[in-house]
Amino acid sequence: MRGFLVSSTVSAAALTLPFLATSSGAAAPAGASSGATSFTGAPNTVPGSTQSLPLVRLGGSDRARTNGPAEQGVPQREVKPFSLIGIVWDDAGAELRGRAQVRTRAVGSRAWSGWQDVQTHDDDRPDLDSGEARNGRLRGSTAPLWVGASDAIQLRVRPDAATERTPEGRALPAGMRLELVDPGAAPAHHSRRVPVVPPGTDEERASSAANAPLAPLGATEIPAAGRKAARSDIAATGIGRVGMPSDEPEGDTENDDSSDSSDWNDSDESGDSRVSEDPDDGYDQDGPSDSGENTAPDGRYTASRPRIVTRAGWGADESLRERAFAYTKSVKAAFVHHTASGNNYSCSESASVIRGIYRYHVVSSGWRDIGYNFLVDKCGTIYEGRAGGVAKPVMGAHTLGFNTNSMGVAVLGTFASSTPPKAAVNALSSLTAWKLGLFGVNPRGTTTLVSGGGNLFKKGASVKLKAISGHRDGYATECPGDRLYSRLGTARSAAARLQGR
């Protein structure tokens, strides 16, 4: 589905999105070799780089001696330091059907890690008919994996075994490359000790200004606010009445001359998108009466605003993303994800993990910006994701088919068999209570979204979903992992209570 583009620039210059060399012939940065290529951020920005290594046929594999698809990989080799890895390929519509494993050597160590699996299906991505998907830069990709500071790598990708339907086995996607991401160290001023940093570039000013009036220009965090004070955040959403807009797909509307909120208000929408209570949730309908203590003057149940670390706070290199912000009409649902990047990070490394994911999404995968609207770490810290304003309906790239009129929240880590920390679940509840409340949404309710096309619902299908859903509710995937998915009921109940319901 499609959103609106609003210019984020204060100059007329167009952004040239940096992109890595690929086996299909895209241009490499000046001076790069035909083997490994790299991209480094613009001068005077947060340091960081990406090394791109082409996969080769591994001659020692059993498959290499047969007529079936051969195992591919990167033989053991030393490289420049990196902390996050992923695999990309030419065709964004192709799937990597096989098993990918990597092992690394930590900087300063002679010991190698054990083999780690890389999640080969990354379904957190732009909708198929969105401008982001049609920009010609999109590539197929795995989920990123955080491995920590390393300087040596070995990768193997084994195709799925032959079956009756595929007697010759599954071919691996063309143009596969291993991406080694160094997120760089954030500048010293990116800390709570320096709450405001004067933006140095047009992109930095635009990203920060999108959060007005919640925080001053250059703020490294948006402070927490009580329910009464947070009600004023409704004005920052850019929408009007409590009634939410229709989910019918809209044509792209580009407006690079103004960021007037009327471009994404709901003044002429006729669709009924009232949030209904889901009887399966066991919601107690005898909650607090609408006395005005829990609701805004227009009837919305609102919640306190949690503290949110801004893009400046986690050290985003704003020169990487596309300049224009993309908005949808409303926020009617929150999709919960895990990043599948592993749990081997400390809370002090969270900003580095996010910078790595951001660089992987944009530079390696060809997205306009990081895909998630928000991220939450294991200690419960909430981070701003895609640029455009934390209170606004920013169009993300997180749930294929349902990026319109929704938001995506990713918990850093992998929660298939690991239990998510209580602090992370509590932060998820606080964030969804606040953001959904701004748009008049009951966290314990259901809503209807129109599918943009995926492997569960065909394009154009009206789908009833819980207001707080897991990624797997909109797309056939394991995300957000069984353990995190099982905690969503708790998050819904807590978020509703925080709204005073």
Side-chain angles (χ1 to χ4, degrees):
M1 296 198 179
R2 300 170 182 174
F4 298 103
L5 294 177
V6 178
S7 173
S8 68
T9 66
V10 293
S11 68
L15 173 67
T16 301
L17 185 70
F19 197 64
L20 292 177
T22 71
S23 59
S24 59
S33 69
S34 60
T37 61
S38 64
F39 176 82
T40 303
N44 302 319
T45 62
V46 177
S49 62
T50 302
Q51 302 171 72
S52 188
L53 310 177
L55 271 64
V56 298
R57 183 176 177 129
L58 298 180
S61 68
D62 291 338
R63 287 176 178 265
R65 294 189 292 270
T66 70
N67 293 324
E71 182 175 325
Q72 295 184 36
V74 173
Q76 180 176 311
R77 62 180 292 179
E78 294 186 349
V79 292
K80 295 178 181 179
F82 66 95
S83 296
L84 180 142
I85 69 99
I87 305 167
V88 300
W89 51 92
D90 295 343
D91 183 0
E95 293 186 12
L96 197 172
R97 297 184 179 274
R99 184 180 188 183
Q101 293 182 300
V102 65
R103 68 183 190 130
T104 57
R105 188 187 68 192
V107 171
S109 172
R110 294 185 177 181
W112 284 77
S113 71
W115 287 99
Q116 299 185 72
D117 284 307
V118 180
Q119 181 176 298
T120 57
H121 300 291
D122 188 11
D123 305 314
D124 309 347
R125 52 191 172 114
D127 287 338
L128 299 176
D129 65 349
S130 67
E132 190 166 0
R134 299 193 307 271
N135 64 14
R137 293 186 294 265
L138 212 62
R139 305 184 75 191
S141 59
T142 67
L145 177 67
W146 179 262
V147 294
S150 305
D151 59 9
I153 185 82
Q154 185 177 3
L155 171 75
R156 61 191 184 195
V157 181
R158 182 170 299 165
D160 282 345
T163 65
E164 290 184 2
R165 296 183 62 184
T166 58
E168 295 182 356
R170 295 276 190 181
L172 294 173
M176 290 199 299
R177 301 181 75 90
L178 173 64
E179 304 290 283
L180 307 177
V181 180
D182 171 18
H189 63 243
H190 290 284
S191 71
R192 298 192 67 181
R193 291 189 295 274
V194 184
V196 177
V197 179
T201 67
D202 289 349
E203 292 88 352
E204 289 173 352
R205 282 188 288 273
S207 179
S208 183
N211 284 319
L214 279 62
L217 195 66
T220 57
E221 67 175 65
I222 296 170
R227 178 182 294 163
K228 184 175 181 180
R231 285 176 188 162
S232 63
D233 297 347
I234 293 173
T237 63
I239 67 165
R241 306 183 307 275
V242 174
M244 299 294 121
S246 165
D247 273 323
E248 292 300 317
E250 300 287 338
D252 284 348
T253 301
E254 294 196 21
N255 179 4
D256 288 337
D257 298 319
S258 171
S259 59
D260 191 326
S261 63
S262 63
D263 285 336
W264 23 269
N265 66 25
D266 60 352
S267 59
D268 61 353
E269 297 295 327
S270 58
D272 181 5
S273 58
R274 292 171 294 177
V275 177
S276 61
E277 292 163 7
D278 186 348
D280 294 334
D281 272 340
Y283 173 64
D284 182 3
Q285 300 187 33
D286 297 325
S289 62
D290 184 5
S291 64
E293 294 181 2
N294 302 317
T295 60
D298 62 4
R300 301 181 215 205
Y301 281 81
T302 57
S304 299
R305 181 210 307 147
R307 171 181 170 261
I308 302 171
V309 176
T310 66
R311 291 169 65 91
W314 54 261
D317 181 349
E318 299 292 356
S319 71
L320 297 182
R321 64 170 175 83
E322 287 190 7
R323 293 192 177 191
F325 300 144
Y327 295 102
T328 182
K329 289 275 187 170
S330 183
V331 176
K332 296 171 59 179
F335 285 97
V336 178
H337 304 255
H338 66 175
T339 57
S341 51
N343 302 317
N344 297 322
Y345 73 95
S346 65
C347 291
S348 63
E349 293 177 311
S350 297
S352 294
V353 176
I354 295 171
R355 288 197 303 277
I357 294 173
Y358 170 47
R359 178 173 281 273
Y360 180 68
H361 281 177
V362 178
V363 177
S364 300
S365 303
W367 300 4
R368 65 181 308 125
D369 194 350
I370 191 170
Y372 308 113
N373 297 102
F374 298 93
L375 301 99
V376 177
D377 72 11
K378 63 175 65 175
C379 291
T381 301
I382 300 169
Y383 299 85
E384 176 185 13
R386 182 163 286 206
V390 296
K392 294 179 173 63
V394 176
M395 173 84 115
H398 49 81
T399 306
L400 180 62
F402 292 101
N403 289 312
T404 295
N405 292 338
S406 70
M407 71 176 189
V409 185
V411 181
L412 296 180
T414 304
F415 301 106
S417 57
S418 298
T419 300
K422 183 177 180 180
V425 177
N426 288 344
L428 178 63
S429 302
S430 299
L431 174 62
T432 52
W434 170 71
K435 185 65 181 274
L436 293 178
L438 299 182
F439 291 84
V441 177
N442 177 359
R444 292 292 300 270
T446 59
T447 190
T448 299
L449 297 177
V450 174
S451 172
N455 61 5
L456 273 184
F457 304 101
K458 66 180 182 180
K459 183 177 180 179
S462 293
V463 182
K464 185 177 181 180
L465 295 160
K466 293 182 185 294
I468 299 178
S469 288
H471 184 185
R472 63 177 64 176
D473 294 319
Y475 197 92
T477 175
E478 295 181 359
C479 183
D482 290 345
R483 295 294 183 89
L484 179 54
Y485 189 77
S486 70
R487 303 300 295 162
L488 296 189
T490 298
R492 295 183 191 105
S493 299
R497 288 195 299 270
L498 290 170
Q499 286 187 356
R501 295 179 185 270

